[in-house]
Coordinates of all heavy atoms in Angstrom, one line a residue:
A416 N 13.8 -6.1 -49.6 CA 14.7 -5.0 -49.8 C 15.9 -5.1 -48.9 O 16.9 -4.4 -49.0 CB 14.1 -3.7 -49.6
R417 N 16.0 -6.2 -48.1 CA 17.1 -6.3 -47.2 C 18.4 -6.5 -48.0 O 18.5 -7.5 -48.8 CB 16.8 -7.6 -46.2 CG 17.9 -7.7 -45.1 CD 17.7 -8.9 -44.3 NE 18.6 -9.0 -43.2 CZ 19.0 -10.1 -42.7 NH1 18.6 -11.3 -43.2 NH2 19.8 -10.1 -41.6
P418 N 19.4 -5.8 -47.8 CA 20.7 -5.9 -48.5 C 21.5 -7.0 -48.1 O 21.2 -7.6 -46.9 CB 21.4 -4.5 -48.4 CG 20.9 -4.1 -47.0 CD 19.5 -4.6 -46.9
A419 N 22.6 -7.3 -48.8 CA 23.5 -8.3 -48.4 C 24.3 -7.9 -47.1 O 24.7 -8.8 -46.4 CB 24.5 -8.7 -49.5
T420 N 24.6 -6.7 -47.0 CA 25.3 -6.2 -45.8 C 24.6 -4.9 -45.5 O 23.9 -4.2 -46.3 CB 26.8 -5.9 -46.1 OG1 26.9 -5.0 -47.2 CG2 27.5 -7.2 -46.4
T421 N 24.8 -4.4 -44.2 CA 24.3 -3.2 -43.8 C 25.3 -2.1 -43.6 O 26.4 -2.4 -43.4 CB 23.4 -3.3 -42.5 OG1 22.5 -2.2 -42.3 CG2 24.3 -3.6 -41.3
P422 N 25.0 -0.8 -43.7 CA 26.1 0.2 -43.3 C 26.7 0.0 -42.0 O 26.1 -0.5 -41.0 CB 25.3 1.5 -43.5 CG 24.1 1.2 -44.4 CD 23.7 -0.2 -44.0
V423 N 28.0 0.5 -41.9 CA 28.7 0.5 -40.6 C 29.2 1.9 -40.4 O 30.4 2.2 -40.5 CB 29.8 -0.5 -40.6 CG1 30.4 -0.6 -39.3 CG2 29.4 -1.9 -41.1
P424 N 28.2 2.8 -40.0 CA 28.6 4.3 -40.0 C 29.2 4.6 -38.6 O 28.8 4.2 -37.6 CB 27.3 4.9 -40.1 CG 26.3 4.0 -39.6 CD 26.8 2.6 -39.9
A425 N 30.4 5.4 -38.7 CA 31.0 5.9 -37.5 C 30.5 7.3 -37.2 O 30.7 7.7 -36.1 CB 32.4 5.9 -37.7
S426 N 29.8 7.9 -38.1 CA 29.3 9.3 -37.9 C 28.0 9.5 -38.7 O 27.8 8.6 -39.6 CB 30.3 10.3 -38.4 OG 30.5 10.3 -39.8
F427 N 27.2 10.5 -38.5 CA 26.0 10.7 -39.2 C 26.3 11.0 -40.6 O 25.5 10.7 -41.5 CB 25.2 11.8 -38.6 CG 24.5 11.5 -37.4 CD1 24.9 11.9 -36.1 CD2 23.5 10.6 -37.5 CE1 24.3 11.5 -34.9 CE2 22.7 10.2 -36.3 CZ 23.2 10.7 -35.1
A428 N 27.5 11.6 -41.0 CA 27.9 11.9 -42.3 C 28.0 10.5 -43.2 O 27.9 10.5 -44.4 CB 29.1 12.6 -42.4
E429 N 28.2 9.4 -42.5 CA 28.3 8.2 -43.3 C 27.0 7.4 -43.3 O 26.9 6.3 -43.9 CB 29.3 7.3 -42.5 CG 30.7 7.9 -42.4 CD 31.7 7.1 -41.7 OE1 31.5 5.9 -41.3 OE2 32.8 7.6 -41.4
V430 N 25.9 8.0 -42.8 CA 24.6 7.3 -42.8 C 23.9 7.6 -44.1 O 23.6 8.8 -44.4 CB 23.7 7.6 -41.6 CG1 22.4 6.9 -41.7 CG2 24.4 7.2 -40.4
P431 N 23.6 6.8 -45.0 CA 23.0 7.2 -46.3 C 21.6 7.7 -46.0 O 20.9 7.2 -45.0 CB 23.1 5.9 -47.2 CG 23.2 4.8 -46.2 CD 23.9 5.3 -45.0
T432 N 21.0 8.3 -47.0 CA 19.6 8.6 -46.9 C 18.7 7.9 -47.8 O 17.6 7.9 -47.7 CB 19.4 10.2 -47.3 OG1 19.9 10.4 -48.5 CG2 20.1 11.1 -46.3
Q433 N 19.3 7.1 -48.7 CA 18.7 6.2 -49.6 C 19.6 5.2 -50.1 O 20.9 5.3 -49.8 CB 17.8 6.8 -50.7 CG 18.7 7.7 -51.6 CD 17.8 8.2 -52.8 OE1 17.8 7.7 -53.9 NE2 17.2 9.3 -52.4
S434 N 19.3 4.1 -50.7 CA 20.1 3.1 -51.2 C 19.5 2.5 -52.5 O 18.4 2.7 -52.8 CB 20.3 2.0 -50.1 OG 19.1 1.3 -49.9
P435 N 20.3 1.7 -53.2 CA 19.7 1.0 -54.4 C 18.5 0.2 -54.1 O 17.6 0.1 -54.8 CB 20.9 0.2 -54.9 CG 22.1 0.9 -54.4 CD 21.8 1.4 -53.1
E436 N 18.6 -0.4 -52.8 CA 17.4 -1.2 -52.4 C 16.2 -0.4 -52.1 O 15.1 -0.8 -52.5 CB 17.9 -2.1 -51.2 CG 18.9 -3.1 -51.4 CD 20.3 -2.6 -51.4 OE1 20.5 -1.4 -51.1 OE2 21.2 -3.4 -51.8
S437 N 16.4 0.8 -51.5 CA 15.2 1.6 -51.2 C 14.6 2.2 -52.5 O 13.4 2.3 -52.5 CB 15.6 2.7 -50.2 OG 16.4 3.8 -50.8
V438 N 15.5 2.5 -53.5 CA 15.0 2.9 -54.8 C 14.2 1.8 -55.4 O 13.0 2.1 -55.9 CB 16.2 3.3 -55.7 CG1 15.7 3.6 -57.1 CG2 17.0 4.5 -55.1
A439 N 14.7 0.6 -55.4 CA 13.9 -0.5 -56.0 C 12.6 -0.8 -55.3 O 11.6 -1.1 -55.9 CB 14.8 -1.8 -56.0
L440 N 12.7 -0.6 -53.9 CA 11.5 -0.9 -53.1 C 10.4 0.1 -53.4 O 9.3 -0.2 -53.5 CB 11.8 -0.9 -51.6 CG 10.7 -1.1 -50.7 CD1 10.0 -2.4 -50.9 CD2 11.2 -0.9 -49.2
A441 N 10.8 1.4 -53.5 CA 9.8 2.4 -53.8 C 9.2 2.2 -55.2 O 8.0 2.4 -55.3 CB 10.6 3.8 -53.8
K442 N 10.0 1.8 -56.1 CA 9.4 1.5 -57.4 C 8.5 0.4 -57.4 O 7.4 0.4 -58.0 CB 10.6 1.1 -58.4 CG 10.1 0.9 -59.8 CD 11.3 0.6 -60.8 CE 10.8 0.3 -62.2 NZ 12.1 0.1 -63.1
A443 N 8.8 -0.7 -56.6 CA 7.9 -1.9 -56.5 C 6.7 -1.6 -55.8 O 5.6 -2.0 -56.2 CB 8.6 -3.0 -55.7
L444 N 6.7 -0.7 -54.8 CA 5.6 -0.4 -54.1 C 4.6 0.5 -54.9 O 3.4 0.3 -55.1 CB 5.9 0.4 -52.8 CG 6.5 -0.5 -51.6 CD1 7.1 0.3 -50.6 CD2 5.3 -1.4 -51.1
R445 N 5.2 1.4 -55.6 CA 4.4 2.3 -56.5 C 3.7 1.5 -57.6 O 2.5 1.8 -58.0 CB 5.2 3.4 -57.1 CG 5.6 4.6 -56.2 CD 6.1 5.7 -56.9 NE 7.4 5.4 -57.6 CZ 8.6 5.7 -57.1 NH1 8.7 6.2 -55.9 NH2 9.7 5.4 -57.8
A446 N 4.4 0.5 -58.1 CA 3.8 -0.4 -59.1 C 2.6 -1.2 -58.6 O 1.7 -1.6 -59.4 CB 4.8 -1.4 -59.7
R447 N 2.5 -1.3 -57.3 CA 1.4 -2.0 -56.7 C 0.3 -1.1 -56.1 O -0.5 -1.5 -55.2 CB 2.0 -3.0 -55.6 CG 2.7 -4.2 -56.2 CD 3.5 -4.9 -55.2 NE 4.2 -6.2 -55.8 CZ 5.2 -6.1 -56.6 NH1 5.8 -5.0 -56.9 NH2 5.7 -7.3 -57.1
G448 N 0.4 0.2 -56.4 CA -0.6 1.1 -56.0 C -0.3 1.9 -54.7 O -1.2 2.7 -54.2
F449 N 0.8 1.8 -54.2 CA 1.2 2.6 -53.0 C 1.6 4.0 -53.4 O 2.1 4.2 -54.4 CB 2.3 1.9 -52.2 CG 1.9 0.6 -51.5 CD1 1.9 -0.6 -52.2 CD2 1.6 0.7 -50.1 CE1 1.5 -1.8 -51.6 CE2 1.3 -0.5 -49.5 CZ 1.2 -1.7 -50.1
A450 N 1.4 4.9 -52.4 CA 1.8 6.3 -52.6 C 2.6 6.9 -51.5 O 2.5 6.2 -50.3 CB 0.5 7.1 -52.7
H451 N 3.3 8.0 -51.6 CA 4.1 8.5 -50.5 C 5.2 7.5 -50.2 O 5.4 7.3 -48.9 CB 3.4 9.1 -49.4 CG 2.8 10.4 -49.6 ND1 3.5 11.6 -49.5 CD2 1.5 10.8 -50.0 CE1 2.8 12.6 -49.7 NE2 1.6 12.1 -50.0
V452 N 5.7 6.8 -51.1 CA 6.8 5.8 -50.8 C 8.0 6.0 -51.6 O 8.6 5.1 -52.2 CB 6.2 4.4 -51.1 CG1 5.1 4.0 -50.1 CG2 5.7 4.3 -52.5
G453 N 8.6 7.2 -51.5 CA 9.7 7.6 -52.2 C 11.0 6.9 -51.7 O 10.9 6.3 -50.5
P454 N 12.1 6.9 -52.3 CA 13.3 6.2 -51.9 C 13.9 6.6 -50.6 O 14.4 5.8 -49.7 CB 14.3 6.5 -53.0 CG 13.5 6.8 -54.3 CD 12.3 7.5 -53.8
T455 N 13.8 7.9 -50.2 CA 14.3 8.4 -48.9 C 13.3 8.0 -47.8 O 13.8 7.5 -46.8 CB 14.4 9.9 -48.9 OG1 15.3 10.3 -50.0 CG2 14.9 10.5 -47.6

Side-chain angles (χ1 to χ4, degrees):
R417 187 184 187 211
T420 59
T421 196
V423 187
S426 69
F427 282 109
E429 297 176 13
V430 178
T432 58
Q433 59 179 259
S434 67
E436 291 82 9
S437 76
V438 172
L440 178 59
K442 181 178 180 180
L444 286 166
R445 285 195 295 264
R447 289 164 172 81
F449 288 82
H451 278 279
V452 289
T455 300

